[in-house]
C-alpha cells in the first residue's frame, strides 16, 4: 500500500514509518516539527537528541535499504496538503499530526488556541483531501480513550445501542473529556462521523491509551533511529516519566490517591494496531472504532512496578503522592471493552519486569541529560 504518515517525525509516527516500509509498504512522512518547537518553547527537550527527518530517512535507508519520502510543511496550510496528496496518491492515511498533550492544552489560552485550531483544522483538511484526491483511501486516525472519560458503566468499543421508549438506535458512545486536548479528539471523531455519513468516505478511529516504551524491532541496530522520548510533565506519558524519575532519583510523581485507572500499551503494539487497521480497512461509508490498549493499571500499580524493578537495579526509588493538578476522578469504575484489534490479529506485548528493566537501563545511559526542572511543574487544570 501507499501510506502517508502524517506527524511522521513524532514519537509514534517515525517508528510507524520504519515498520510499514519493513513490511513492504511505500511510505511518505509529513511533519512541520511542531512537536520539536513546542518542546523547545516550554524548555522540556526530549531525553536524547534525535536527527531531523531527512537525516533519519538516510539512516534508515543505510540500515535497511528502505526508502521513505519526506514532506516538510504545515497540514493547516491547504496548499501544502494539496501538494502532498497530489504527489503521493495514498491508499491509506495514518493521521497522527496533532498537538498530543493534555497538560499542554491546559497551560494557557495561547496553548488552548493552538491545540483547538491545529487539531481540528488538520483533521478537516485530511477529510477534504481524501474526498477530493483519493476517496477510496482509508483514514486511520488516532483518538484517545480519554474521549470516554470514566463513566460509571462499562465502556463499549465506540458505539452504544440504546433502547428508549420502546425503540432502539445505535449512537456514538457518550463522551466526556477531562482536558481541552481530549475535547479536540471528541470533535475529530464527530467530524469524521459527519463526513462519513455525508460523503461515504471511510475511517478507523483508534481510541488509544497512554503508550510506553521506545524499542521497536527497526531500531535494534541503530540507537539514532529511536523515537524521541519525553519525560517531562507536559509531553511525557506516565510510565515513561516514572522510568526517568526512577533513574534521576526523583520521587515518582503520583497525582492524588493514585487510583486512577487507564488502559496502557507498549509502543510495539501501537505499531501493530495501526498496521492491522491500515491493512484491513473499514468499509466505504463506515466509521470503525477500536479501543487501543492491552492492559489496565492504576497509577499506583505502575509506580510500584517501577519502584520494584528500579530497586533491583540499585536505584532506591521513592514514591510521592502530590496534590493532583488535574481535575479527574481518583476513585472510579473502569471496564472498557477492547476486543476489535485482538480479533484483527493483535498479539499484545504485556508489561513485564524485563520490559521495564530494558527501559530503565537505556535511560540510565542518558542520566546526565535529565533536566530535573522539567520533571514536574504542576500545570493546573483548575
Ligand atoms: N503517545 C501517546 O501515548 C498517545 C496516546 C493516545 C493518543 N495519542 C495520539 O497519537 C498521535 C501521535 O502521538 P505522539 O505521541 O506520536 O505525538 P507527537 O507530538 O510525537 O507526534 C505528532 C506529530 O505531528 C506533528 N504535527 C502536529 N501538527 C502538525 C501540523 N499542523 N502539520 C504537520 N505536522 C504536524 C508534530 O510535529 C509531531 O511530530 C497524536 O494525535 C496523539 O494525540 C498519543
Amino acid at each position: 500500500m501507499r501510506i502517508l504518515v502524517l506527524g511522521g517525525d513524532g514519537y509514534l509516527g517515525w517508528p510507524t514509518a520504519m515498520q510499514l516500509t519493513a513490511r513492504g509498504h511505500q511510505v511518505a512522512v509529513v511533519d512541520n516539527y511542531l512537536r520539536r518547537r513546542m518542546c523547545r518553547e516550554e524548555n522540556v527537550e526530549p531525553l536524547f537528541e534525535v536527527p531531523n527527518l531527512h537525516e533519519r530517512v538516510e539512516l534508515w535507508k543505510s540500515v535497511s535499504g528502505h526508502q521513505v519520502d519526506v514532506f516538510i510543511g504545515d497540514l493547516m496550510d491547504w496548499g501544502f496538503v494539496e501538494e502532498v496528496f497530489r504527489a503521493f496518491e495514498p491508499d491509506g492515511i495514518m493521521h497522527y499530526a496533532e498537538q498530543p498533550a493534555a497538560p499542554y492544552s491546559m497551560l494557557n489560552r495561547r496553548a488552548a488556541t493552538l491545540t483547538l485550531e491545529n487539531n481540528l483544522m488538520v483533521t478537516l483538511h485530511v477529510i477534504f483531501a481524501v474526498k477530493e484526491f483519493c476517496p477510496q483511501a482509508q483514514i486511520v486516525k488516532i483518538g484517545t480513550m480519554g474521549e470516554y472519560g470514566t463513566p460509571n458503566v462499562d465502556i463499549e468499543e465506540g458505539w452504544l445501542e440504546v433502547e428508549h421508549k420502546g425503540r432502539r438506535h445505535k449512537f456514538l458512545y457518550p463522551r466526556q473529556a477531562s482536558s481541552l486536548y481530549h475535547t479536540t479528539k471528541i470533535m475529530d471523531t464527530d467530524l469524521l462521523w459527519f463526513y462519513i455519513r455525508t460523503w461515504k468516505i471511510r475511517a478507523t478511529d483508534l481510541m488509544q491509551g497512554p503508550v510506553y516504551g521506545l524499542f521497536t524491532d527497526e531500531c535494534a541496530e541503530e540507537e539514532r533511529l529511536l523515537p524521541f522520548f519525553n519525560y517531562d510533565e507536559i509531553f511525557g506519558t506516565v510510565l515513561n516519566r516514572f522510568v526517568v524519575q526512577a533513574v534521576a532519583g526523583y520521587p515518582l510523581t503520583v497525582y492524588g490517591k493514585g487510583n486512577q485507572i487507564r488502559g496502557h500499551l507498549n509502543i510495539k503494539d501501537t505499531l501493530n494496531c495501526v498496521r492491522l487497521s491500515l491493512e484491513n480497512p473499514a468499509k466505504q461509508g463506515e466509521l470503525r472504532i477500536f479501543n487501543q490498549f492491552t492492559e489496565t493499571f492504576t497509577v499506583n500499580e505502575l509506580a510500584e512496578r517501577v519502584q520494584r524493578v528500579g530497586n533491583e537495579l540499585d536505584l532506591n526509588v521513592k514514591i510521592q503522592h502530590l496534590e493532583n493538578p488535574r481535575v479527574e476522578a481518583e476513585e472510579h469504575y473502569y471496564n472498557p471493552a477492547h476486543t476489535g484489534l485482538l480479533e484483527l490479529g493483535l498479539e499484545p506485548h504485556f508489561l513485564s519486569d524485563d520490559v521495564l528493566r530494558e527501559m530503565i537501563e537505556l535511560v540510565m545511559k542518558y542520566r546526565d541529560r535529565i533536566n530535573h526542572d522539567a520533571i514536574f511543574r504542576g500545570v493546573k487544570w483548575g
Side-chain angles (χ1 to χ4, degrees):
M1 292 174 74
R2 297 177 61 78
I3 299 168
L4 268 182
V5 178
L6 309 180
D9 188 49
Y11 171 53
L12 303 177
W14 173 246
T16 300
M18 287 194 292
Q19 194 194 75
L20 290 172
T21 56
R23 299 287 183 130
H25 298 294
Q26 276 178 273
V27 172
V29 287
V30 185
D31 212 290
N32 65 346
Y33 296 132
L34 173 67
R35 168 68 175 260
R36 292 183 191 236
R37 197 188 84 207
M38 290 185 298
C39 289
R40 205 155 291 152
E41 284 175 2
E42 297 305 324
N43 194 21
V44 290
E45 297 279 350
L47 183 61
F48 40 78
E49 280 177 30
V50 291
N52 69 36
L53 259 182
H54 286 99
E55 292 165 337
R56 290 167 130 183
V57 162
E58 281 309 311
L59 261 176
W60 175 232
K61 192 173 176 191
S62 68
V63 170
S64 70
H66 299 301
Q67 174 72 39
V68 176
D69 295 339
V70 181
F71 295 89
I72 301 296
D74 187 345
L75 291 158
M76 285 176 68
D77 168 3
W78 174 253
F80 173 69
V81 173
E82 197 173 350
E83 182 191 314
V84 170
F85 274 75
R86 277 188 196 280
F88 190 73
E89 299 181 348
D91 309 311
I93 296 101
M94 185 58 237
H95 173 14
Y96 285 124
E98 301 210 341
Q99 188 297 97
Y104 182 86
S105 75
M106 302 300 286
L107 270 176
N108 50 42
R109 190 184 55 78
R110 191 181 62 79
T113 306
L114 184 152
T115 305
L116 193 72
E117 289 182 349
N118 188 73
N119 293 4
L120 293 183
M121 196 54 75
V122 173
T123 299
L124 190 75
H125 280 172
V126 171
I127 292 168
F128 268 78
V130 164
K131 157 109 176 351
E132 196 155 328
F133 305 116
C134 49
Q136 309 297 316
Q138 181 193 209
I139 301 168
V140 178
K141 161 90 189 24
I142 295 274
T144 158
M145 286 298 293
E147 290 187 34
Y148 302 120
T150 52
N152 198 30
V153 293
D154 289 358
I155 295 173
E156 302 304 328
E157 215 147 0
W159 302 93
L160 187 67
E161 186 90 24
V162 175
E163 190 176 329
H164 181 61
K165 296 184 178 172
R167 302 179 68 85
R168 300 183 73 81
H169 192 82
K170 197 168 121 186
F171 293 94
L172 282 172
Y173 190 93
R175 280 132 214 269
Q176 38 189 4
S178 63
S179 78
L180 180 75
Y181 154 75
H182 291 104
T183 303
T184 65
K185 294 289 189 182
I186 293 175
M187 293 168 163
D188 280 341
T189 301
D190 280 333
L191 281 177
L192 284 173
W193 181 216
F194 169 67
Y195 283 111
I196 285 172
R197 294 198 309 274
T198 308
W199 291 341
K200 305 288 176 263
I201 55 174
R202 52 173 153 178
T204 297
D205 201 351
L206 297 168
M207 302 298 149
Q208 180 171 249
V211 181
Y212 60 84
L214 23 43
F215 294 103
T216 60
D217 295 344
E218 291 71 31
C219 43
E221 308 288 317
E222 172 55 85
E223 245 172 50
R224 282 180 303 158
L225 290 172
L226 286 169
F228 50 62
F229 189 74
N230 276 87
Y231 58 89
D232 54 273
E233 172 196 341
I234 298 175
F235 292 104
T237 47
V238 57
L239 187 58
N240 291 352
R241 282 192 278 133
F242 283 172
V243 164
V244 173
Q245 290 168 9
V247 171
Y250 195 106
L252 308 191
T253 54
V254 172
Y255 294 167
K257 294 186 183 134
N259 291 325
Q260 305 89 322
I261 310 171
R262 300 289 182 269
H264 297 258
L265 77 166
N266 190 309
I267 189 168
K268 293 180 178 173
D269 290 333
T270 295
L271 304 199
N272 284 324
C273 291
V274 302
R275 185 178 50 75
L276 287 165
S277 301
L278 287 158
E279 290 175 349
N280 304 281
K283 292 191 280 295
Q284 212 65 38
E286 182 190 9
L287 172 60
R288 182 175 60 168
I289 300 178
F290 294 131
N291 292 346
Q292 182 166 310
F293 66 93
T294 58
E295 298 171 273
T296 57
F297 297 103
T298 65
V299 179
N300 284 330
E301 282 165 347
L302 290 177
E304 282 155 17
R305 289 179 77 145
V306 171
Q307 182 177 47
R308 182 162 48 76
V309 177
N311 286 348
E312 283 166 21
L313 294 165
D314 298 327
L315 285 176
N316 187 22
V317 181
K318 304 238 179 328
I319 296 175
Q320 189 182 14
H321 287 259
L322 301 172
E323 186 190 338
N324 194 345
R326 304 181 173 202
V327 177
E328 63 182 1
E330 290 175 14
E331 314 262 10
H332 59 91
Y333 179 76
Y334 201 61
N335 187 27
H338 60 120
T339 53
L341 287 159
L342 296 171
E343 282 160 16
L344 270 193
L346 176 69
E347 292 173 15
H349 296 78
F350 294 115
L351 181 63
S352 65
D353 285 2
D354 285 343
V355 169
L356 274 177
R357 200 170 300 114
E358 195 184 28
M359 282 174 70
I360 293 174
E361 283 173 350
L362 181 89
V363 171
M364 284 164 89
K365 288 209 256 175
Y366 296 95
R367 192 184 237 148
D368 293 346
R369 281 189 51 96
I370 301 173
N371 170 9
H372 286 231
D373 293 339
I375 290 179
F376 181 74
R377 294 189 185 149
V379 178
K380 282 206 169 17
W381 263 224

